[in-house]
Amino acid sequence: YFEAFTFALDSTKIRTLGQKGYTAYEKVLSLNESNLLAQTKMGVIYKSLNPQAPMKGIQMVSAVVKKDPKNELALFYLGTFFAERGAFPDAIDRLEKVVAINPKNPDAWIYLAQCYEETGKPEKVKEALTNVLALDISPEIKKELEKKIKSIR
């Protein structure tokens, strides 16, 4: 349910899939309360389904990082949460940890490039996007990234 939830565009589907995913992860945690993947995904779903009170979801994901400071997925989502709030230095900190753990994570590199751009670091933007170009990505995305890199002054 989580994958479908993350790709859903219709708000009704997002809510339905999110609720089903949340319930499924509750069941997983009832069998194994230390499952960090389920804890992370529950936090992400909670945050998305409760935009007026996102902190509980953010805290759920933060708790995973406290238990496992190198948890790539939890660090990635924390980075995106900080970026959404405009807390770019905090986002950069989390996303840099993600790419240190897994330099082949194109999503982390792209978010990192966006955060660098927001903080006025054009050389870092180029570096991050160049790292994405070295990965296995579609030719269309590669072309767009090359144009973006060339446009950075």
Side-chain angles (χ1 to χ4, degrees):
Y1 292 112
F2 185 81
E3 300 306 320
F5 158 79
T6 60
F7 289 111
L9 300 175
D10 175 80
S11 62
T12 303
K13 286 183 182 177
I14 291 170
R15 180 154 295 285
T16 300
L17 292 167
Q19 289 170 338
K20 286 182 179 186
Y22 194 88
T23 300
Y25 290 123
E26 282 180 320
K27 289 178 185 174
V28 168
L29 290 174
S30 73
L31 300 172
N32 178 4
E33 65 185 30
S34 63
N35 185 316
L36 298 182
L37 180 62
Q39 291 174 28
T40 300
K41 291 185 175 184
M42 276 182 73
V44 173
I45 291 170
Y46 187 92
K47 179 192 170 293
S48 179
L49 295 181
N50 298 284
Q52 287 76 24
M55 284 311 295
K56 180 179 176 186
I58 293 169
Q59 290 168 343
M60 292 166 76
V61 178
S62 292
V64 171
V65 173
K66 284 183 181 155
K67 293 173 192 168
D68 177 8
K70 292 187 177 187
N71 187 296
E72 180 183 349
L73 187 65
L75 285 165
F76 174 77
Y77 278 111
L78 283 179
T80 65
F81 297 163
F82 281 119
E84 287 171 9
R85 293 179 37 218
F88 298 110
D90 292 323
I92 289 169
D93 177 63
R94 285 5 173 251
L95 294 166
E96 284 179 341
K97 288 176 183 174
V98 172
V99 297
I101 294 164
N102 180 7
K104 294 184 179 185
N105 184 327
D107 296 329
W109 282 115
I110 289 170
Y111 267 100
L112 193 52
Q114 291 171 338
C115 292
Y116 287 145
E117 188 168 40
E118 290 292 333
T119 55
K121 298 176 181 170
E123 290 306 314
K124 291 288 216 172
V125 175
K126 286 182 186 179
E127 179 184 325
L129 295 179
T130 300
N131 282 310
V132 179
L133 290 177
L135 303 176
D136 185 26
I137 58 173
S138 75
E140 295 83 15
I141 293 173
K142 188 173 237 175
K143 187 176 178 180
E144 288 302 312
L145 292 176
E146 287 169 344
K147 283 197 304 193
K148 175 68 175 172
I149 290 168
K150 286 179 185 174
S151 74
I152 298 170
R153 300 192 193 287

